[in-house]
Amino acid sequence: MTRELFGTDGIRGVPGCFPLDDATVYAVGLALGELVGRRGDGAEPRVLIGRDTRESGPHLALRLAAGLRAAGVVPVSAGVLPTPGVAALVRAKGFAAGAVISASHNPFTDNGIKVFSERGTKFPDETEERLEAEIARHRRAPATGAAALDTDPALAAEYLDLLRARAGAKLDGLSVVLDCANGAASGLAPELFVSLGARVTAINAAPDGRNINAGCGSLHPQGMSRAVVGCGAAFGAAFDGDADRAIFAAASGKLVDGDGVLYMAARALRASGKLAGNLVVGTTMTNLGLERALAGEGIGLVRVPVGDRYVLEELVRRGGNLGGEPSGHVIFLDDSPAGDGLATALKVAEWVARQGPLENLVAGLACYPQKIVNVRVRSKPPLDSLPAVAHAAREARSALGDRGRIVLRYSGTESLARVMVEAEREEDVERWSGTIARAIEETLGRQSGH
């Protein structure tokens, strides 16, 4: 079945337009409510709703809640809360499901809906396909009025308590910069680190509904890096809008992405005898440098398609406990099945506090030069079915051999084709990323930037 609504990270769109028009959002709530209602033990099921700081969030939450109530489910609002906070509280407090109103790292003009099972994990593809069919059916039915949705402020405090319980060390006197992306981490991340003894400089922590991810956060960590150097901090962390990912900067300003976190985490877990399966699960975007650095440590790397759901599925299948993506989604499965930017930042803070400078902790990781080119496309036919694209890709792979990698894929949330090339030599990266991107642009659309 071709999925129209669910991408790699839930439903995304422009509020007021399909699939985030009132009728569809109401239908999402109704379909989700019917799904979890059938799983109940006789008690009235509850669904937890959280959101980020976008101005469209409160209205979408009301429409979703109205659909849930129509299905006989009680919606409970946590207000502004990171996506992993919703996932954690669903598990901890016995909710039947969770939903987050967020478009993650996208600009404020977008929004979305992510849904979670009672285990705090994203639903498998086949469940999302069933939900899509029910949503399509319910869109034809008249929607009832908006449900009242009071926020329980105790839920955010409980999420912070869960994070503190996982903290392995006090952070007394540790100086950190936290770039909150004017998103869901804005109030919670500084409070969390201060409560553990850190000296916090918070930036981009004043959301106004429209400044989420605007030149800041994990997609734009350069400002955080400069702030770390400017105030002499031990390290910095930049979250995205819903705080399920984090990118870091060492005291020197050097950026450390999700691959760097996986390298540090794998070594730390292996040293303590806790790296399950002696493997790490990455994705097709994981840098070849990490694969080779881990191999040098006797640790295997397994690749899966892009998406934290696929990382989690492979961890469960192989009995592993560590995986993630270069974007900063990192899963520590012994703690949680969800990538959590705040939890990851706590891990990094603990390593720095105990072992020394962040730059030293990643000194053994030499990442290959890599470039990702985004090409705006009109449609998404299989890329290998396009003769010009397939020819350019074959030429590149033949030229690079085992000294580089090429990954061609469509974005799961935007009308983009992504061309990733990494190689030992920067000139090869530039040459082949440009060649393949031009082939896609000439076939399907126009290049939108890097």
Side-chain angles (χ1 to χ4, degrees):
M1 172 182 172
T2 300
R3 299 198 300 176
E4 183 181 14
L5 298 179
F6 287 93
T8 55
D9 202 14
I11 299 169
R12 294 273 176 92
V14 176
C17 303
F18 179 83
L20 294 182
D21 56 292
D22 282 0
T24 305
V25 175
Y26 176 85
V28 172
L30 192 53
L32 178 61
E34 290 179 347
L35 176 69
V36 301
R38 292 195 293 268
R39 297 180 175 182
D41 56 2
E44 194 173 34
R46 301 176 304 146
V47 170
L48 180 61
I49 300 174
R51 60 179 176 86
D52 66 22
T53 56
R54 294 162 213 268
E55 64 181 10
S56 58
H59 177 76
L60 293 173
L62 284 173
R63 301 310 304 148
L64 186 72
L68 290 166
R69 282 199 182 279
V73 171
V74 177
V76 178
S77 173
V80 174
L81 191 70
T83 291
V86 172
L89 291 171
V90 165
R91 293 191 309 277
K93 299 186 68 66
F95 286 93
V100 181
I101 310 297
S102 174
S104 189
H105 56 278
N106 285 25
F108 88 94
T109 49
D110 296 336
N111 215 324
I113 304 172
K114 305 180 185 185
V115 291
F116 294 89
S117 73
E118 75 279 2
R119 297 183 299 278
T121 59
K122 292 173 183 175
F123 288 108
D125 290 344
E126 55 269 23
T127 301
E128 289 186 348
E129 290 172 4
R130 291 202 304 272
L131 280 171
E132 282 215 7
E134 291 303 302
I135 292 166
R137 183 171 65 86
H138 288 310
R139 284 191 77 244
R140 296 189 291 268
T144 63
L149 191 59
D150 295 328
T151 297
D152 182 355
L155 291 168
E158 290 185 50
Y159 169 54
L160 290 185
D161 287 342
L162 291 172
L163 290 173
R164 290 189 194 97
R166 297 180 198 157
K170 289 289 286 182
L171 306 179
D172 293 337
L174 189 70
S175 176
V176 300
V177 172
L178 302 177
D179 181 345
C180 300
N182 294 312
S186 294
L188 298 184
E191 179 182 346
L192 173 65
F193 275 79
V194 168
S195 73
L196 293 170
R199 291 187 291 114
V200 173
T201 299
I203 61 175
N204 302 307
D208 63 9
R210 294 187 165 213
N211 60 359
I212 186 170
N213 300 315
C216 58
S218 63
L219 280 188
H220 307 279
Q222 295 80 11
M224 175 269 294
S225 174
R226 289 191 295 269
V228 168
V229 175
C231 68
F235 78 97
F239 307 105
D240 65 335
D242 68 337
D244 62 354
R245 64 173 76 175
I247 298 294
F248 298 88
S252 65
K254 176 182 177 179
L255 292 174
V256 177
D257 67 4
D259 284 347
V261 174
L262 288 176
Y263 177 72
M264 291 185 287
R267 297 180 76 224
L269 288 173
R270 213 260 304 262
S272 62
K274 295 179 181 178
L275 183 62
N278 199 41
L279 62 86
V280 173
V281 174
T283 73
T284 55
M285 305 305 285
T286 299
N287 195 279
L288 187 58
L290 176 61
E291 182 174 354
R292 294 191 173 177
L294 291 176
E297 300 274 348
I299 299 169
L301 176 76
V302 178
R303 294 181 187 272
V304 296
V306 170
D308 57 328
R309 70 168 67 221
Y310 304 118
V311 173
L312 175 60
E313 288 172 0
E314 192 69 10
L315 285 174
V316 172
R317 191 175 78 83
R318 290 180 176 264
N321 62 350
L322 175 65
E325 304 181 89
S327 63
H329 282 112
V330 179
I331 295 176
F332 296 91
L333 191 53
D334 291 340
D335 295 331
S336 169
D340 188 329
L342 272 65
T344 300
L346 281 182
K347 296 278 189 187
V348 172
E350 176 185 343
W351 298 328
V352 171
R354 288 180 170 175
Q355 301 175 47
L358 176 56
E359 192 151 10
N360 292 352
L361 297 179
V362 295
L365 173 62
C367 287
Y368 279 35
Q370 182 187 93
K371 187 171 187 176
I372 298 174
V373 181
N374 294 323
V375 181
R376 181 96 25 206
V377 295
R378 300 184 303 270
S379 59
K380 295 183 177 182
L383 288 166
D384 59 5
S385 72
L386 307 174
V389 176
H391 176 72
R394 280 195 305 271
E395 277 195 324
R397 291 190 173 104
S398 176
L400 293 175
D402 62 359
R403 299 183 306 279
R405 290 192 314 124
I406 297 167
V407 178
L408 308 181
R409 70 180 186 90
Y410 291 113
S411 167
T413 58
E414 300 175 85
S415 297
L416 297 174
R418 303 198 196 279
V419 179
M420 189 282 284
V421 177
E422 64 185 22
E424 292 179 346
R425 301 192 309 166
E426 189 75 45
E427 55 264 38
D428 289 332
V429 171
E430 291 293 331
R431 175 188 177 188
W432 293 114
S433 63
T435 297
I436 297 170
R438 282 192 296 273
I440 295 174
E441 183 180 13
E442 290 167 1
T443 306
L444 292 178
R446 61 182 180 83
Q447 190 170 318
S448 66
H450 302 174

